[in-house]
Amino acid sequence: MTKSFIIIEPDPIVAMDVEGLLSSQFPRADITTGASLADIGPAIHNCGPASMLVVKGALLADDGDLRRVVQTAAVRRARIFVIGEPSDLDFPVTFIELPFTSDTMLAAMTQDTPDPDLGSTQTL
């Protein structure tokens, strides 16, 4: 099963950095990048256990539709990584606080998968 990454980040420099990091570390992965929910299109509907979403925390706070879609992806066992300050979400996520490094992000993505049944939240 091929890994799938979906990056939702409005800052084009940060999006390029994350995409470059993921494509170099996971060369066979499918990577979809967009600035908003509308930009990622059908990729979000195919989320499952092989999927990882990287999303800017401020977007989740401001966009209820995005939050619901990301929560649905979490229910489908996709791993969710939120860039920014930790906040209360009712689905399992790993927070990657700013500023982050490539090593921090890779460590988060390669650690053991949290148990979605526990509603766990981790902060790196």
Side-chain angles (χ1 to χ4, degrees):
M1 186 179 296
T2 302
K3 279 192 186 300
S4 170
F5 293 95
I6 299 172
I7 304 163
I8 308 169
E9 171 58 63
D11 183 325
I13 302 298
V14 175
M16 271 188 346
D17 285 348
V18 173
E19 186 174 359
L21 170 68
L22 296 176
S23 64
S24 69
Q25 292 297 313
F26 306 96
R28 291 188 223 141
D30 293 323
I31 301 173
T32 302
T33 305
S36 68
L37 179 59
D39 294 336
I40 57 170
I44 196 74
H45 298 292
N46 298 321
C47 281
S51 302
M52 295 187 189
L53 275 75
V54 179
V55 61
K56 184 171 186 162
L59 293 177
L60 285 176
D62 295 341
D63 187 338
D65 290 336
L66 176 61
R67 194 170 37 258
R68 283 187 290 282
V69 168
V70 171
Q71 181 177 20
T72 300
V75 168
R76 293 180 184 165
R77 302 181 81 75
R79 292 189 61 200
I80 313 299
F81 301 91
V82 177
I83 298 173
E85 293 294 318
S87 61
D88 290 328
L89 296 171
D90 55 355
F91 49 92
V93 303
T94 299
F95 288 96
I96 302 173
E97 294 189 63
L98 292 168
F100 65 88
T101 64
S102 297
D103 291 339
T104 305
M105 181 160 288
L106 285 177
M109 292 185 168
T110 56
Q111 71 186 3
D112 291 337
T113 305
D115 185 347
D117 296 330
L118 299 177
S120 61
T121 300
Q122 301 173 340
T123 303
L124 296 179

